[in-house]
Amino acid sequence: MLQQTTVSVVKPYFHAFITRWPTLADLAQATLEDVLAAWAGLGYYARARNLHQCAQEVAFTGNGTFPTDTHALQRLPGIGAYTAAAMTAIAFGRRAVAVDGNIERVLARLFAVTDFLPAARSHIRILADALTPENRCGDFIQAVMDLGATLCTPRQPACMLCPLQRECVGFQQGLAATLPARAGQSPHPIHYGIAFFVLRKDGAVLLRRRPPKGLLGGMMEVPSTPWRDDFWTLEEAVAAAAPLSLEWHPLPGTVRHVFTHFRLDMRVVMGEAGSNPAARGIWSALDRMDEQALPSVMRKILVHAIRFGM
DNA sequence: AAGTCGTGGAT
DNA sequence: TATCCAAGACT
């Protein structure tokens, strides 16, 4: 959960997860649908699929015990170089070289590595290897990560409070706050779509499950047109993607959502269906949306539709 | 090996 | 409002 996600955001999800699936075997026996629903809102949903797959591999074909070897760990789904090293050091108490975003930043400043990321990573890894102790390696990793999270922060680092100030080359050169250097990001393209908010007579709303992989893979969605880089007219959208033959009423405003590499502007149209509409999908009551694997963007669309359509 | 993959908090 | 970025992994 903590991969690319802050502790404060993870906390409530983690506690809910651990309460619902206290053991590896519990998680392995859960359905992917339930795991995705519990993950909804956390983002990077491949992590949930990988975690579930990982639990099943360890529980069913690995006799219920994680391997303790770093390379074996890294072969499990969702466990990459960092996580395998962190598990080796923190869970199993053996030396391993772990470099996360915090450690990367601390080392880039400590040794004034001015090369741009990601090219500088191989150099930073050599520095990390040289510093990583044999004894209490897990504590070392967590100490450096905490230094990065509290004092050696991305912007306005608290160098005056830093216990490493005397040996920090970045600080001595006045570069600390500017490191590590990153290549400029290209601006995000904007994609457009129209979502179909279908309200059945009994108050249920039509949802669909997205394809198992890719963007929001396996999650539920409000039916919509494809997301493309041009506007849709209502006629175009209905012809291309309407889930039912209904009278569609455009709702005011736009739902804007920012993904990692593009921005989505969605308009919402509403249609009222009879008591037994022939649409493929899942009808879900509005007061039971918590049980659905709805990513934040879809929750936004529903909130918008309820606000302007009901 | 660069692109893909979410979301919310901080600034 | 715009930008950055977080206990990265996978393709």
Side-chain angles (χ1 to χ4, degrees):
Chain A
M1 282 182 176
L2 287 166
Q3 290 168 356
Q4 296 285 283
T5 307
T6 53
V7 170
S8 61
V9 173
V10 160
K11 244 183 189 173
Y13 286 88
F14 177 77
H15 286 120
F17 244 76
I18 287 300
T19 301
R20 184 163 177 188
W21 299 296
T23 70
L24 183 81
D26 294 326
L27 184 59
Q29 288 162 22
T31 67
L32 176 59
E33 289 71 24
D34 283 344
V35 172
L36 288 174
W39 200 278
L42 250 191
Y44 284 141
Y45 298 101
R47 294 181 300 175
R49 288 180 259 130
N50 288 334
L51 178 66
H52 185 239
Q53 180 67 35
C54 179
Q56 293 193 329
E57 285 187 22
V58 175
F60 300 149
T61 69
N63 73 41
T65 309
F66 275 92
T68 57
D69 172 69
T70 306
H71 292 91
L73 283 169
Q74 202 171 335
R75 272 181 233 119
L76 291 166
I79 299 180
Y82 163 75
T83 304
M87 290 176 74
T88 301
I90 298 170
F92 301 130
R94 297 203 321 275
R95 184 183 183 279
V97 180
V99 182
D100 79 323
N102 290 298
I103 296 174
E104 190 172 73
R105 182 173 59 258
V106 170
L107 295 184
R109 291 171 175 173
L110 192 54
F111 295 96
V113 178
T114 54
D115 298 329
F116 287 77
L117 291 180
R121 292 218 163 99
S122 57
H123 181 32
I124 291 175
R125 181 170 187 83
I126 291 171
L127 296 171
D129 196 351
L131 282 184
T132 300
E134 191 72 42
N135 192 32
R136 296 182 63 188
C137 173
D139 289 344
F140 168 78
I141 292 169
Q142 293 181 83
V144 180
M145 288 193 294
D146 283 344
L147 181 68
T150 55
L151 298 182
C152 197
T153 52
R155 296 180 232 199
Q156 299 193 326
C159 298
M160 304 313 284
L161 298 176
C162 183
L164 298 182
Q165 188 198 96
R166 283 174 59 83
E167 39 274 302
C168 181
V169 183
F171 174 77
Q172 291 161 13
Q173 300 184 354
L175 294 175
T178 72
L179 298 176
R182 297 174 186 275
Q185 314 253 358
S186 56
H188 289 179
I190 305 178
H191 293 174
Y192 300 92
I194 293 187
F196 298 90
F197 179 69
V198 190
L199 189 60
R200 200 169 62 178
K201 271 207 180 322
D202 62 356
V205 172
L206 181 62
L207 300 178
R208 285 179 179 166
R209 192 171 294 280
R210 293 175 60 85
K213 290 184 178 178
L215 185 69
L216 308 178
M219 303 295 286
M220 303 300 292
E221 67 174 355
V222 179
S224 83
T225 65
W227 305 345
R228 66 180 195 191
D229 51 13
D230 280 317
F231 293 105
W232 293 82
T233 66
L234 178 57
E235 295 71 27
E236 242 183 337
V238 168
L244 278 171
S245 180
L246 293 177
E247 219 173 281
W248 298 105
H249 308 287
L251 301 181
T254 299
V255 177
R256 174 175 294 181
H257 189 79
V258 178
F259 290 94
T260 308
H261 52 294
F262 67 92
R263 196 182 90 188
L264 181 65
D265 279 10
M266 290 283 275
R267 293 173 51 210
V268 184
V269 300
M270 178 172 174
E272 302 190 55
S275 52
N276 192 18
R280 80 177 61 157
I282 295 167
W283 296 92
S284 176
L286 281 173
D287 59 359
R288 299 187 63 173
M289 287 295 173
D290 289 346
E291 302 168 15
Q292 300 292 342
L294 280 173
S296 291
V297 59
M298 297 302 159
R299 206 164 280 276
K300 271 192 201 177
I301 290 171
L302 288 174
V303 167
H304 186 87
I306 291 164
R307 178 173 171 192
F308 292 104
M310 299 179 67

